[in-house]
Amino acid sequence: MELPAHGAIHYIQEILDDPCPKTVRTFGLDRRLEVDVALLSEQVVIKDGSLYMMIGEVEAREVIRDHGTFQYQTDCSSQNQPLLKVRVARNVDGMDLNLFDAALGVRRKFEAELKT
C-alpha cells in the first residue's frame, strides 16, 4: 500500500488559483473551497470563526448535468471548484498568523535554494 505524499503548505488562494490534484497543508476556511471530511475517523465539528489546519488531497471538479443526474469530472481548469478531501484536521486558534507567514516565506526561500 502506497502512503499519500506529504502535504506542501499552500494558502487557500493558491489552491483556488491552481486546482490541479495535489497533496496540501492549508489553514483557514474559504467558502470557495469545498471541504470533504469523510476520511476523518472522528466526527469533526467546524466552528465558524475558528482557525483550522488541514492536510488532504485537492481534486478539481467540473459538475456536468446529464439527464437529471450530476457527474463530476476531474479537470485542472481554474474555472472549476476545487474539493479538499481532508484526512487530518486540527484547531489552531491562537496561532500567530504573522509569524506563520514569515516562517513560510523563509521555508519557501530555503526550498527554492535547494532546487537550484
Side-chain angles (χ1 to χ4, degrees):
M1 181 174 131
E2 187 176 324
L3 295 174
H6 77 282
I9 301 172
H10 290 276
Y11 293 107
I12 289 178
Q13 187 59 50
E14 294 171 338
I15 296 170
L16 294 170
D17 290 344
D18 179 20
C20 290
K22 60 185 158 270
T23 302
V24 299
R25 260 188 292 175
T26 191
F27 61 93
L29 291 175
D30 190 314
R31 300 211 185 276
R32 297 173 295 168
L33 178 65
E34 187 176 343
V35 176
D36 179 3
V37 294
L39 295 176
L40 297 175
S41 60
E42 297 179 15
Q43 184 72 339
V44 175
V45 177
I46 302 214
K47 301 177 202 170
D48 275 346
S50 288
L51 184 62
Y52 291 87
M53 180 157 297
M54 297 172 277
I55 301 174
E57 282 67 44
V58 172
E59 294 179 0
R61 302 185 318 156
E62 178 182 12
V63 180
I64 300 172
R65 189 172 183 144
D66 182 28
H67 305 297
T69 61
F70 290 99
Q71 298 177 352
Y72 297 103
Q73 176 179 3
T74 302
D75 184 5
C76 285
S77 168
S78 63
Q79 306 300 321
N80 300 328
Q81 181 180 16
L83 169 70
L84 176 60
K85 290 191 163 192
V86 179
R87 55 186 157 92
V88 176
R90 69 178 183 169
N91 184 302
V92 291
D93 282 343
M95 182 170 78
D96 185 342
L97 293 178
N98 292 327
L99 182 59
F100 181 83
D101 286 340
L104 182 55
V106 170
R107 179 184 178 136
R108 286 181 171 179
K109 181 179 175 186
F110 174 74
E111 290 172 346
E113 289 173 0
L114 284 178
K115 290 180 181 179
T116 59

